[in-house]
Amino acid sequence: MGPRNLFLTNSPESSNDCEDNPTRNRGFSKRGDNDLDPDECMQRTGGLFGSRRPALSGTGNGDTSQSRSGSGSERDSWKSEAEGGESSDTQGPKVTYIPPPPPEDEDSIFAHYQTGINFDKYDTILVEVSGHDAPPAILTFEEANLCQTLNNNIAKAGYTKLTPVQKYSIPIILAGRDLMACAQTGSGKTAAFLLPILAHMMHDGITASRFKELQEPECIIVAPTRELVNQIYLEARKFSFGTCVRAVVIYGGTQLGHSIRQIVQGCNILCATPGRLMDIIGKEKIGLKQIKYLVLDEADRMLDMGFGPEMKKLISCPGMPSKEQRQTLMFSATFPEEIQRLAAEFLKSNYLFVAVGQVGGACRDVQQTVLQVGQFSKREKLVEILRNIGDERTMVFVETKKKADFIATFLCQEKISTTSIHGDREQREREQALGDFRCGKCPVLVATSVAARGLDIENVQHVINFDLPSTIDEYVHRIGRTGRCGNTGRAISFFDLESDNHLAQPLVKVLTDAQQDVPAWLEEIAFSTYIPGFSGSTRGNVFASVDTRKGKSSLNTAGFSSSQAPNPVDDESWD
Ligand SMILES: Nc1ncnc2c1ncn2[C@@H]1O[C@H](COP(=O)(O)OP(=O)(O)OP(=O)(O)O)[C@@H](O)[C@H]1O
């Protein structure tokens, strides 16, 4: 196995995002885990988050899992949530934050952005389906035979054409099969699982769930971050509009009583972060007996050392149907091989594996640039780039929470309207920051890995990796915040020769696969740091191009059916 340590307990000295327990701890720790890099060790001056926002205080509403600015460990925050800390009376003041309800009018529910000029190019991406007896892909929404209400909702959402992951996943899920699907960022994985689940529910004649102290949802969807789980909920609410299916979202950093109140009113689809989910199950507000669908979005993260133990607990909870009796669905843009192997415990042995393009590959609609920038020059370079960009929405990724504060403050001082999101900010602040960024009030969002996965924000034209992440998977997810749904985007990464050399090799691979220019200097570093037999210094594996079970049943472009699989999976090779 590669250097990634799976299912290890969190080390107290690490300093990363919490619920979004970071990939960097899986492998090499490249900069140590200091929240501030040595070169940037100016004192935090407090400062502006958004043009008029006060300095991050780290205290406030008493969210014990969020308000520990300076505590240094975002992973500790994750732990405190995952272990039920925030609901425990002994762990500090109660969390009181109640997120504002989302707008209820139909226009807001169905608000969407336009697909981009490259949307049709999705059809040319090669799709591989492995496993026995895969049902044929569908080419149109009509072929899915969904009920009229779902079709209306799809139309109101502005979807006219299926994306490749939808063409393959929808019939597989409709056929009742377990699925592990890997498709590039921004290519519609959320609808790929929501639509067939809703179709099943409607077909089975689901009845409206009513007020009850113990709710028994049919579907649980878990994802690694609060903002992502909320986004999935909004998608579920959109597609279930006009049906009796009730979706509910619960996540950490909010008042537990609020989560309970949402649940007891009725719950068919529960979207949750793992910590809050386990809390609520522990409080016997959710029973698992009726679960028919378990979805792990960002599944490689959900099975990684941070969340893996929670997920194992979830599937062993009393009442949870065995994998033979439920349908388990996993989606991500990246799927390291060793995580695919771990997934076996959750999936039926005959699960199908769908790979759209290369597993772990970057979205080709993102133009990637890698610049050699030393630590001491990064801030100056950032300002130069942001001034050229003007008001276009830009996400700037840094490696630590303190650095996010520091850079956001610095940019505000430079009169660049900036906000920030990271695991030490209170949930209220995180949501405010995302809102300010979404609406363009603050066109620059400085973020840690908490915002790397899944977030679908209109018009993000640029991603800047002020610090490169320590794994290539993380890089792929970060740059995937732009170039979504056929739109184009740009990613600029600062490569520091002092600390990023271990990334050179996988970076060259990602750039090459996405048909991007590879700087000669980067190739040289990749060559000079090449270690034969070393299975990927940062990903912890070689690039998986196939199902780890090895057998391939088909190779096809997205427009064609793939079911006529020659011969399939060598299940024996699975262990
Ligand atoms: N068939 C479709 N037609 C038009 N728009 C679509 C279609 N499918 C998805 N979208 C839109 O594309 C955007 C990206 O979809 P989504 O967030 O599901 O991507 P994803 O594959 O889950 O990305 P990530 O890997 O970053 O999580 C969303 O705004 C979604 O509404």
Side-chain angles (χ1 to χ4, degrees), residues 326-545:
R326 61 168 198 259
Q327 208 176 342
T328 307
L329 310 168
M330 302 194 179
F331 283 78
S332 186
T334 52
F335 247 122
E337 287 182 359
E338 69 271 27
I339 304 281
Q340 287 188 38
R341 289 190 191 97
L342 287 173
E345 205 178 317
F346 294 72
L347 294 159
K348 296 183 195 93
S349 59
N350 72 343
Y351 75 86
L352 292 167
F353 181 88
V354 169
V356 181
Q358 185 156 31
V359 174
C363 170
R364 290 189 180 182
D365 299 326
V366 182
Q367 187 196 328
Q368 302 174 57
T369 308
V370 184
L371 303 175
Q372 226 182 89
V373 187
Q375 281 298 340
F376 292 102
S377 315
K378 283 184 176 182
R379 275 182 292 154
E380 198 185 325
K381 191 74 192 165
L382 178 65
V383 170
E384 180 193 319
I385 293 170
L386 289 176
R387 292 215 193 287
N388 282 336
I389 283 174
D391 273 349
E392 292 180 349
R393 242 161 272 180
T394 305
M395 289 177 80
V396 178
F397 282 99
V398 297
E399 193 62 354
T400 64
K401 296 175 291 186
K402 283 186 179 166
K403 200 161 188 182
D405 283 350
F406 177 77
I407 296 299
T409 305
F410 163 72
L411 291 176
C412 288
Q413 284 163 350
E414 292 290 316
K415 306 270 183 293
I416 295 171
S417 192
T418 302
T419 187
S420 72
I421 187 166
H422 60 73
D424 264 353
R425 300 206 78 184
E426 291 168 11
Q427 190 54 28
R428 183 195 310 274
E429 295 175 312
R430 280 165 64 157
E431 290 179 17
Q432 177 79 46
L434 211 53
D436 288 348
F437 182 59
R438 267 187 208 279
C439 74
K441 180 175 161 197
C442 294
V444 178
L445 178 69
V446 180
T448 58
S449 298
V450 74
R453 283 179 180 251
L455 293 186
D456 183 54
I457 301 167
E458 181 172 10
N459 261 332
V460 176
Q461 275 125 326
H462 306 267
V463 168
I464 298 175
N465 282 309
F466 185 91
D467 297 318
L468 275 165
S470 55
T471 71
I472 198 69
D473 288 343
E474 184 78 13
Y475 172 84
V476 167
H477 286 281
R478 282 184 183 183
I479 67 167
R481 293 321 96 211
T482 184
R484 298 178 71 77
C485 206
N487 292 287
T488 55
R490 292 198 62 186
I492 301 176
S493 301
F494 295 170
F495 189 101
D496 181 358
L497 294 175
E498 297 289 317
S499 53
D500 296 325
N501 287 356
H502 64 285
L503 259 192
Q505 211 181 308
L507 203 48
V508 167
K509 171 100 174 89
V510 162
L511 290 167
T512 311
D513 287 345
Q515 297 172 344
Q516 303 289 306
D517 291 338
V518 181
W521 59 265
L522 186 62
E523 257 174 343
E524 264 171 46
I525 296 170
F527 185 72
S528 66
T529 54
Y530 176 72
I531 305 169
F534 184 52
S535 63
S537 59
T538 54
R539 186 190 282 272
N541 68 308
V542 287
F543 290 79
S545 59

Side-chain angles (χ1 to χ4, degrees), residues 113 115 119 141 158-163 166 183-191 228 231 235 238 297-298 332-333 453-456 477 480-481 484-485:
Y113 61 84
T115 57
F119 189 77
F141 281 112
Y159 292 19
T160 52
K161 197 177 156 181
L162 291 156
T163 67
Q166 292 164 359
Q184 69 185 80
T185 51
S187 65
K189 293 186 284 293
T190 318
L228 177 55
Q231 184 180 296
E235 292 291 287
K238 172 170 85 180
D297 196 19
E298 308 296 343
S332 186
R453 283 179 180 251
L455 293 186
D456 183 54
H477 286 281
R481 293 321 96 211
R484 298 178 71 77
C485 206

